[in-house]
Structures are given as structure tokens and as C-alpha cells.
Amino acid sequence: MTSLADTDLVLASTSAYRRELLARLGVPFRQQSPQVDEAALPGEAPAVLAARLATAKASAVAATNPNALVIGSDQVADCAGSILGKPGDLARARQQLRASSANRVVFHTAICLIDTHSAPTREFHAIDTTTVVFRSLSDAEIERYLVHERPFDCAGSFKSEGLGITLFERVESQDPTALIGLPLIALCRLLREAGVDLP
């Protein structure tokens, strides 16, 4: 077993949300942009897309980081068969929340952990599925929320760790960190499988 403090841990992401989550483990790590095209393939299912992109991100960063543990993660939101990405602006965020109102939105959050210490390189995979049941939201509620929190860089147009929680009727999840973007319970399991000691 290897101590996580003695491991070169690399997060294949520039996300501030994933950085904050990984920091909860209390160990040093680096962030590196994976530079991966995140477009869905024709007909690609949301869970398959999340898993593919998590692996692509980890693989891209692992290629330039020998002797490291590289974490890739991706989240895809599915609302009645439609993928909800990061809205980017107010108009698209408004549209997403109107579509989510009184609906169930399923978030698929995938992780790929690549161990470049080993020969051959080892990969570990996990995916978390969290369902968010939205309240029936009025246009005024949506507008107030978006103006206040501006969640334009978040899949589904909300921040569950912030005021986004006020939009929900309930959350069905095995891991509350998954909805924010990095399922720590699954990640800790993969690190243990890779031979890393955790507290």
C-alpha cells in the first residue's frame, strides 16, 4: 500500500468545484487541463458519454505524467432523454430550468483513475447516478435564482452546494458529492483498489 501523501496525484480538470471536493481528502494534488473535445457522439447515451469523457480526460493527462495517479471525471445531466450541458449564458440557463421544472433530472458522474506507476498502466472506473426531482418552478423563481447565483458554468444550471438546493423537491443519491461533480465515495474506493492507503 502507498500513502496518498507520497503519491503524485493529478486532477485532470480545471474545475474549481472538483478542486474543492478533492481538497477534502487533505492531500496534495495538482490540476492539469485535459484539452478534450467534450461533444457527444451521435446517439450517445448520457451515461456512456460521461464514462467516455472521464476516461478521455484522464488518458490525455496521464500521457504526460508518468509515475502518477491521474483522476478524470465528467458529469452529464439527462432530462427526459435530452442532455443538459453547461448553459453558458442566462438565456440557455433559463431554458434548462424551465425544462427541469416538475421533472426528474438524472446526473451521471463518471470517474476514471489511471495509475501510470504500474506497467502496464492500470485503469479503474466508476459511475454515480444521482436523480434530482425539481419542484414546479415559476418563471419568477427561475429568474430570481439565475440573477442571484449565475450558475452558467454548471450542468443543469444550478449549484446544489448553494441556492440551487431551493429548486428541488428531493435528491436521490448515494453520494452527496457526486452532484457537485466528483463522487468522493467512489473515488476513495478506486484509490484503495489502486493500492493507496486512505485515513
Side-chain angles (χ1 to χ4, degrees):
M1 298 292 280
T2 304
S3 167
L4 198 49
D6 297 328
T7 300
D8 183 18
L9 191 63
V10 185
L11 178 61
S13 172
T14 57
S15 165
Y17 308 110
R18 291 192 177 107
R19 180 184 68 236
E20 290 170 9
L21 286 168
L22 187 54
R24 292 188 190 182
L25 299 184
V27 295
F29 65 92
R30 300 183 286 118
Q31 281 185 276
Q32 183 175 324
S33 175
Q35 301 293 319
V36 167
D37 179 0
E38 298 190 27
L41 300 175
E44 191 169 28
V48 174
L49 173 61
R52 179 176 64 79
L53 291 180
T55 301
K57 291 174 182 181
S59 297
V61 171
T64 60
N65 287 276
N67 301 313
L69 280 174
V70 180
I71 302 164
S73 184
D74 193 79
Q75 183 179 76
V76 177
D78 175 8
C79 180
S82 296
I83 292 175
L84 301 180
K86 298 174 184 176
D89 59 37
L90 179 62
R92 288 196 63 209
R94 187 184 293 125
Q95 186 179 44
Q96 285 191 354
L97 288 181
R98 283 176 178 161
S100 298
S101 176
N103 274 321
R104 299 167 66 88
V105 180
V106 180
F107 288 80
H108 305 278
T109 310
I111 298 177
C112 175
L113 177 68
I114 298 182
D115 178 5
T116 62
H117 288 105
S118 60
T121 296
R122 296 185 299 163
E123 291 188 12
F124 305 85
H125 300 269
I127 191 161
D128 179 277
T129 301
T130 296
T131 300
V132 176
V133 181
F134 280 79
R135 296 187 298 106
S136 180
L137 303 172
S138 69
D139 284 349
E141 286 176 312
I142 290 171
E143 204 67 24
R144 282 197 306 271
Y145 172 70
L146 292 175
V147 167
H148 187 86
E149 195 146 64
R150 303 181 62 81
F152 307 140
D153 62 343
C154 300
S157 300
F158 66 84
K159 297 181 182 180
S160 63
E161 69 276 27
L163 282 177
I165 203 75
T166 65
L167 307 175
F168 307 156
E169 186 174 299
R170 66 182 181 277
V171 177
E172 300 165 0
S173 176
Q174 295 181 340
D175 184 346
T177 61
L179 193 53
I180 305 172
L182 186 66
L184 292 182
I185 293 173
L187 176 59
C188 288
R189 183 176 71 250
L190 297 187
L191 288 168
R192 287 191 295 269
E193 288 177 14
V196 174
D197 278 326
L198 293 168

